Amino acid sequence: MNNSILELYVKTKKDWDKHASVRVSNKSYDLNLNDIDLNDDLNWHLPSYSPILDHNDLKSLSDDQKRFVMGTQLLEFVEKTTIFEIEQVNNVANNLALGKYDFDIPNLLKVDAFKIYTDEGFHALFSKKMSDDIKKYYKIEDDITPYLKNFFLKLKKIGSKFDQKYLYLSNLSSTIVSESMIVHDISNEMKSIVYEPIREMFRDHMIDEAYHANYFGTLFKVIWSQLSKKEKEIMSSNLCDSILLLSKPRVDIFYYSLSKLGFKENQISKIISDVYDNNKEIKQNILKRKSSPVLKLLENAGVFNFTFANEKFKANGLI
């Protein structure tokens, strides 16, 4: 193992316990969304997640209706986060912490996997609280998890074409990709959020995820060199597929929000297709923005020097 990888990790993670905001903070992150009704300038949405509102067929929506569309998009985001942190990231953290992988992983990384597990549990908790607050504000009693189903089905399909014994590589791949992406995602969204309770939670979440990205980036560099040629091919494929999936806008929630505003399913499908499927510029901009941190990690780890990986990523327009 390259000792310099671990030495750099030790230096960059030295203040993790002091700055692990959700582990050491006494903040409740209560949204008090009724304050919004008193001040329209307190933006609390994720505008870059809702370019759909620029579609001509939605130009006639009132400000309140547009806020509802963006509000339910944020609801989808935090509900997805709650599930993803528990079922995906903490599944991997559990296996790392308890030494269930057949890799030579330094004890330090095994111990720090418990910190990941703890952090992500808090992230899931506060995401769930935010979800409940948003539902209460909009008087939503419907279960929106069916609108997340397609995403998680696609996530589970990553690596399914390979033998079941390699499933751990797909779980590792999607977790490494997501944890590398999320800091940039949150940082980008915070620029538009003014409402402090939500801004504060995203800011604290981002601090934690910066340490998580550092952890998983280090872990990847440690395990990549230990993989066989076959395992590298499988993991390269999984990493590429994970980037493509996690960079793709999740649009199913619009079938819920726009239907509540009176739009028919065929109308919603056309609007989504116009904005996301037929607009190559939006698709490329989102892919480029989201994939950049992961591609940098993979390049630094020498992944693209591996012929199969280089060809796979080039074929999918990622390099």
Side-chain angles (χ1 to χ4, degrees):
M1 183 187 303
N2 188 338
N3 289 333
S4 63
I5 294 175
L6 211 56
E7 289 170 1
L8 178 60
Y9 174 69
V10 170
K11 289 180 182 178
T12 52
K13 73 113 184 180
K14 64 185 178 68
D15 292 326
W16 187 2
D17 291 331
K18 185 179 6 177
H19 294 148
S21 51
V22 295
R23 268 193 283 133
V24 302
S25 173
N26 59 4
K27 300 168 187 172
S28 67
Y29 304 108
D30 292 328
L31 297 193
N32 299 315
L33 288 178
N34 288 332
D35 293 347
I36 301 292
D37 294 332
L38 305 176
N39 189 341
D40 286 343
D41 293 330
L42 293 178
N43 183 47
W44 56 284
H45 305 104
L46 307 178
S48 69
Y49 275 64
S50 301
I52 197 169
L53 291 174
D54 293 328
H55 193 277
N56 285 335
D57 290 354
L58 301 182
K59 291 286 180 69
S60 62
L61 293 182
S62 68
D63 288 342
D64 282 345
Q65 289 174 321
K66 290 177 181 178
R67 290 191 190 100
F68 174 72
V69 172
M70 289 191 288
T72 51
Q73 187 73 11
L74 178 58
L75 174 61
E76 189 270 359
F77 178 86
V78 293
E79 291 232 350
K80 171 263 178 184
T81 298
T82 301
I83 298 170
F84 192 88
E85 303 285 44
I86 297 298
E87 292 189 350
Q88 184 68 33
V89 182
N90 269 358
N91 177 43
V92 170
N94 169 68
N95 290 332
L96 287 165
L98 300 181
K100 293 183 178 181
Y101 293 121
D102 290 331
F103 297 119
D104 179 14
I105 297 177
N107 190 60
L108 175 61
L109 292 182
K110 292 180 181 178
V111 171
D112 282 355
F114 285 101
K115 297 178 183 179
I116 299 284
Y117 195 95
T118 306
D119 288 352
E120 299 296 21
F122 272 101
H123 294 166
L125 169 64
F126 290 120
S127 294
K128 172 60 175 169
K129 286 186 63 178
M130 182 181 287
S131 168
D132 288 347
D133 284 345
I134 295 171
K135 283 185 171 182
K136 183 178 179 181
Y137 178 73
Y138 282 116
K139 297 179 174 60
I140 295 174
E141 297 182 356
D142 303 304
D143 177 15
I144 72 155
T145 53
Y147 298 94
L148 293 166
K149 184 178 180 181
N150 282 338
F151 169 77
F152 284 104
L153 283 176
K154 290 175 183 176
L155 185 67
K156 287 181 179 179
K157 283 184 179 178
I158 291 176
S160 61
K161 61 187 175 184
F162 303 110
D163 192 292
Q164 183 73 13
K165 68 180 181 180
Y166 295 113
L167 177 62
Y168 69 99
L169 289 176
S170 63
N171 290 334
L172 275 167
S173 297
S174 55
T175 298
I176 288 168
V177 168
S178 68
E179 294 299 284
S180 300
M181 281 184 174
I182 194 168
V183 176
H184 190 272
D185 271 359
I186 295 176
S187 175
N188 187 62
E189 293 308 324
M190 275 182 56
K191 296 173 185 176
S192 61
I193 296 175
V194 176
Y195 189 51
E196 189 56 29
I198 293 181
R199 184 176 177 82
E200 184 177 54
M201 197 200 86
F202 273 103
R203 181 175 59 240
D204 290 350
H205 192 163
M206 182 176 69
I207 292 170
D208 295 336
E209 293 297 353
Y211 287 104
H212 296 188
N214 183 37
Y215 173 90
F216 280 104
T218 302
L219 174 73
F220 178 72
K221 292 173 184 175
V222 166
I223 66 176
W224 176 254
S225 61
Q226 300 180 44
L227 298 177
S228 67
K229 181 175 181 291
K230 174 71 172 178
E231 289 170 330
K232 283 185 177 180
E233 289 179 357
I234 293 172
M235 193 162 196
S236 297
S237 179
N238 291 339
L239 287 165
C240 183
D241 291 344
S242 296
I243 290 172
L244 294 173
L245 174 62
L246 292 167
S247 296
K248 189 175 181 179
R250 297 188 305 276
V251 298
D252 286 356
I253 191 63
F254 294 127
Y255 285 100
Y256 175 78
S257 59
L258 293 179
S259 69
K260 291 294 182 181
L261 299 179
F263 290 85
K264 303 297 184 185
E265 184 175 341
N266 64 322
Q267 292 177 291
I268 300 170
S269 294
K270 181 182 182 304
I271 293 170
I272 290 174
S273 181
D274 288 346
V275 175
Y276 295 99
D277 297 333
N278 300 332
N279 193 320
K280 290 184 179 180
E281 184 178 359
I282 284 182
K283 289 171 68 174
Q284 282 302 116
N285 286 343
I286 293 174
L287 179 60
K288 183 178 180 181
R289 172 170 56 84
K290 284 180 167 284
S291 65
S292 176
V294 195
L295 295 177
K296 184 176 181 180
L297 165 64
L298 302 186
E299 182 178 13
N300 290 341
V303 172
F304 302 134
N305 295 328
F306 182 57
T307 302
F308 178 90
N310 189 287
E311 291 175 354
K312 172 76 174 177
F313 278 74
K314 278 184 177 177
N316 285 277
L318 290 171
I319 60 174

